[in-house]
Amino acid sequence: MATTENAVEILNDLIKINNDRIDGFERASTELSAEDLDLRNLFTLFAHDSRGNAQELMAAVALHGETPESGNSVTGTLHRTWLNVKATFSGHDRKSILQECERGEDAIKKAYQDALADSNLPEDVRTTLLQQQQKINEGHDKIKALRDSIA
């Protein structure tokens, strides 16, 4: 029973951080200039991926007989507030937006690493998380590479 409760808690935490990621990329898209269509498309893709992740995680919670989370994490809400304040003072240039997105990607990467470190996760949950983690890591690396390419 404790293993199921722990798995559900982990899944719910990941649902919330995926919701944070969706909100973060949607917010970042509004800060982009018209010339940044490439980033807007990329951010839309990443938000779409996280919607799919959250849906898979919600289904896994339901399979364990629990009610899935639907909101955001406290840290995600605080990060978005900080991003709004920072944008007021620093402008909305491509590099600063990518830096903030990378910070968010660092957070979700860590959340998946921490979740997968739990040795009591059921194998079906672990498999789902490993598949999602791969795409999260690819997204992080893409954001980092774009940020690094700006002089």
Side-chain angles (χ1 to χ4, degrees), residues 52-67:
N53 289 349
Q55 289 172 348
E56 283 183 332
L57 298 169
M58 287 180 199
V61 170
L63 280 174
H64 288 282
E66 299 292 331
T67 304

Side-chain angles (χ1 to χ4, degrees), residues 83-104:
L83 187 112
N84 289 340
V85 170
K86 184 177 180 192
T88 302
F89 295 109
S90 66
H92 308 292
D93 66 275
R94 187 175 173 100
K95 186 168 186 170
S96 66
I97 291 168
L98 286 168
Q99 286 171 328
E100 287 309 306
C101 288
E102 184 181 4
R103 189 176 317 224

Side-chain angles (χ1 to χ4, degrees), residues 24-79:
F25 281 120
E26 287 175 349
R27 170 76 172 117
S29 288
T30 67
E31 302 299 325
L32 294 169
S33 68
E35 300 84 46
D36 291 319
L37 186 58
D38 62 326
L39 289 184
R40 188 169 285 116
N41 289 338
L42 185 65
F43 293 173
T44 299
L45 173 67
F46 290 161
H48 176 76
D49 287 346
S50 274
R51 277 188 194 88
N53 289 349
Q55 289 172 348
E56 283 183 332
L57 298 169
M58 287 180 199
V61 170
L63 280 174
H64 288 282
E66 299 292 331
T67 304
E69 292 285 341
S70 60
N72 298 79
S73 70
V74 173
T75 55
T77 302
L78 293 174
H79 177 74

